[in-house]
């Protein structure tokens, strides 16, 4: 659903305009409540480096892209951080989230049936902006037209729904959790994307491993050794290499999986030639028949903005996952931290196969901010109620 506004030379969607308006509020209160920890500093450094890389590659011509990245990443994250570890607020927000995806069910079914992007057409009629009414026959898979509903791409619909699936098990018993998450599963099925299915498998596996660890505490070491042995066996036994074998075996569409694998291969020279600032929005090296799309968040960050951007962002996610994992056995709130870890880990994994952009990037970092607000909760007193302009 695209609604655009012009702010100076910057073409802004409505949600980005809102982010601009709340930026002073977020920054003032992050500072006021002393929420700039090391994790947040790495994320801010990432946003700063992305902007610097755009300036180095394009001058001021693409400065707006740096602004948009800052808004969607850091301001979105900071807004989530201001939840300040409030369990009541998280529960209300999550239930609202479930309601929205439940309301999207009939529209997702319609789109999966005929391929017509109903919500995008409605938004275009209201705001008068261009719209792609039908994604094309290439988006027809397993008898379904891949649904995207309010998102730019079907895979983003799936990712944004399933990243919060573990939260269902905080508030409901297993069977009710599955029922209440119907809208999330419809997103997974109607978008027909491997990433969504693999996220659910990963989350479920982590839950099972945690339960096993209660009786066999060395299970995590066994899993690490098992994966390492399988990897080595694939190196020895397959002429395709372990990565390609796993990519093609796990994907719903081996052809698109192989295309993603090729993106890593062909972009390696570009990254090696521009390791510091990346290539920005310049065209990257590839065969003439290959699309210019880069379907990996981690690869795109490195290709566009260089290794420093990748380092800062990796440090942010590492510190986040480390803190969540270390608190998973907390006496009272351990289940919260473990659920946050499952969600964050699945986001990191999904980023290998999809680039987060538009609303998806905002939603990902907003949720990460909410999760991390629980990590800094002991430092807070009254939380969001203290927020002032």
């Amino acid at each position: 659903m695209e609604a655009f506004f012009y702010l100076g030379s910057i073409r802004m969607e409505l949600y980005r305009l809102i982010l601009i308006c709340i930026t002073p509020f977020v920054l003032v209160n992050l500072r006021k409540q002393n929420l700039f920890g090391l994790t947040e500093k790495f994320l801010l450094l990432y946003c700063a480096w992305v902007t610097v890389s755009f300036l180095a590659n394009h001058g001021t011509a693409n400065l707006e892209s740096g602004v948009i990245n800052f808004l969607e990443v850091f301001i979105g994250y900071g807004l989530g951080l201001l939840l300040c570890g409030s369990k009541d607020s998280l529960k209300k927000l999550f239930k609202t989230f479930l309601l929205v995806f439940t309301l999207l069910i009939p529209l997702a079914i319609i789109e999966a049936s005929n391929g017509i992007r109903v919500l995008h057409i409605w938004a275009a009629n209201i705001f008068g902006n261009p719209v792609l009414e039908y994604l094309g026959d290439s988006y027809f898979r397993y008898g379904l037209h891949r649904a995207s509903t309010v998102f730019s791409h079907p895979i983003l619909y799936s990712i944004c729904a399933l990243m919060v699936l573990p939260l269902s098990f905080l508030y409901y018993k297993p069977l009710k959790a599955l029922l209440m998450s119907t809208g999330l599963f419809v997103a997974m099925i109607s978008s027909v994307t491997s990433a969504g299915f693999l996220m659910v498998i990963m989350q479920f596996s982590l839950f099972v491993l945690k339960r096993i660890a209660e009786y066999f505490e060395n299970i995590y070491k066994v899993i690490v050794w098992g994966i390492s042995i399988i990897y080595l066996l694939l190196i020895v036994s397959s002429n395709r290499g372990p990565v390609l074998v796993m990519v093609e075996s796990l994907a719903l569409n081996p052809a698109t999986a192989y295309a993603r694998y090729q993106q890593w291969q062909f972009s390696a020279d570009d990254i090696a030639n521009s390791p510091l600032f990346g290539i920005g929005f310049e065209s990257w090296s590839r065969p003439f028949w290959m699309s210019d799309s880069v379907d990996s968040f981690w690869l795109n960050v490195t290709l566009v903005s260089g290794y420093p951007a990748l380092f800062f962002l990796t440090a942010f996610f590492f510190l986040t996952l480390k803190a969540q994992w270390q608190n998973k056995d907390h006496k009272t709130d351990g289940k919260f931290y473990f659920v946050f870890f499952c969600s964050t880990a699945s986001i990191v994994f999904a980023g290998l196969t999809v680039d987060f952009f538009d609303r998806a990037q905002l939603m990902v970092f907003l949720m990460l901010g909410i999760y991390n607000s629980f990590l800094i909760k002991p430092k807070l007193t009254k939380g969001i109620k203290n927020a002032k302009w």
Side-chain angles (χ1 to χ4, degrees):
M1 298 176 68
E2 318 290 339
F4 293 104
F5 295 84
Y6 283 91
L7 186 65
S9 63
I10 303 178
R11 196 182 190 203
M12 284 291 175
E13 290 191 49
L14 177 59
Y15 77 93
R16 289 170 179 163
L17 186 62
I18 294 173
L19 287 173
I20 288 177
C21 293
I22 67 171
T23 292
F25 168 82
V26 172
L27 294 179
V28 165
N29 284 285
L30 288 179
R31 181 72 176 177
K32 186 179 182 66
Q33 298 189 44
N34 193 28
L35 300 182
F36 279 103
L38 181 60
T39 303
E40 289 68 40
K41 289 175 182 176
F42 272 120
L43 189 61
L44 187 58
L45 283 171
Y46 160 70
C47 292
W49 191 266
V50 168
T51 302
V52 169
S53 72
F54 291 156
L55 289 171
N57 284 298
H58 310 292
T60 59
N62 279 293
L63 182 60
E64 65 184 76
S65 297
V67 173
I68 289 173
N69 184 72
F70 172 76
L71 293 172
E72 293 178 348
V73 173
F74 193 80
I75 298 303
Y77 174 82
L79 185 62
L81 206 62
L82 291 177
L83 190 74
C84 298
S86 169
K87 294 181 181 179
D88 290 338
S89 297
L90 176 62
K91 187 174 183 179
K92 292 176 182 177
L93 183 64
F94 175 66
K95 287 187 173 182
T96 301
F97 202 91
L98 285 184
L99 176 61
V100 170
F101 275 89
T102 300
L103 293 175
L104 288 175
I105 289 176
L107 295 168
I109 293 174
I110 292 172
E111 188 175 344
S113 300
N114 58 27
I116 304 301
R117 308 175 82 195
V118 178
L119 288 174
H120 289 261
I121 295 172
W122 289 352
N125 292 335
I126 294 172
F127 297 104
N129 50 273
V131 62
L132 184 61
E133 297 183 3
Y134 178 69
L135 292 176
D137 293 339
S138 62
Y139 282 80
F140 187 79
R141 184 181 293 177
Y142 292 99
L144 295 174
H145 294 275
R146 301 177 64 190
S148 57
T149 62
V150 299
F151 294 90
S152 303
H153 192 280
I155 198 170
L156 299 180
Y157 176 35
S158 178
I159 296 301
C160 290
L162 297 172
M163 70 178 178
V164 298
L165 177 61
L167 273 67
S168 297
F169 298 93
L170 280 177
Y171 307 114
Y172 308 110
K173 293 181 179 179
L175 289 178
K176 188 175 182 180
L178 295 175
L179 178 62
M180 296 300 292
S181 301
T182 300
L184 309 184
F185 288 116
V186 168
M188 176 184 72
I189 295 170
S190 64
S191 62
V192 201
T193 173
S194 305
F197 285 93
L198 292 175
M199 285 177 73
V200 172
I201 292 172
M202 182 179 188
Q203 293 164 358
F204 177 75
S205 299
L206 288 171
F207 273 99
V208 171
L209 285 175
K210 188 175 188 300
R211 181 59 61 90
I212 295 175
E214 295 174 2
Y215 306 96
F216 180 42
E217 61 182 18
N218 290 324
I219 185 62
Y220 299 114
K221 292 182 180 179
V222 171
I223 293 297
V224 171
W225 276 105
I227 293 175
S228 300
I229 291 172
I230 292 173
Y231 188 87
L232 290 173
L233 288 174
L234 288 174
I235 291 177
V236 174
S237 62
S238 174
N239 58 3
R240 291 181 294 167
V243 175
L244 185 56
V245 170
M246 289 186 288
V247 164
E248 292 186 332
S249 300
L250 296 174
L252 292 177
N253 188 332
T256 58
Y258 184 65
R260 283 173 166 78
Y261 176 77
Q262 288 181 309
Q263 289 171 8
W264 288 82
Q265 287 188 310
F266 288 120
S267 63
D269 289 341
D270 297 279
I271 294 172
N273 293 331
S274 305
L276 195 58
F277 296 114
I279 65 171
F281 298 116
E282 299 294 338
S283 182
W284 54 285
S285 303
R286 63 188 186 281
F288 70 91
W289 44 263
M290 192 171 181
S291 168
D292 62 351
S293 173
V294 177
D295 300 309
S296 166
F297 177 64
W298 299 104
L299 177 59
N300 195 53
V301 165
T302 313
L303 181 63
V304 172
S305 299
Y307 282 118
L310 177 65
F311 170 77
F312 294 138
L313 194 60
T314 301
F316 163 78
F317 274 98
F318 173 78
L319 292 174
T320 294
L321 287 167
K322 179 183 177 183
Q324 291 169 349
W325 182 259
Q326 289 176 335
N327 286 280
K328 74 181 190 321
D329 296 319
H330 189 275
K331 289 184 178 180
T332 57
D333 295 337
K335 61 181 181 179
F336 281 85
Y337 297 118
F338 179 71
V339 161
F340 298 160
F341 176 84
C342 291
S343 176
T344 305
S346 66
I347 289 170
V348 171
F349 174 76
L352 293 172
T353 64
V354 60
D355 185 26
F356 306 132
F357 55 93
D358 293 345
R359 301 165 196 81
Q361 180 164 249
L362 172 60
M363 291 183 66
V364 164
F365 283 95
L366 174 66
M367 291 308 301
L368 289 171
I370 291 172
Y371 297 161
N372 282 358
S373 74
F374 282 73
L375 295 172
I376 48 87
K377 185 174 64 171
K379 303 177 183 178
L380 304 172
T381 53
K382 297 181 181 179
I384 192 63
K385 294 181 180 179
N386 287 333
K388 297 179 182 179
W389 284 89

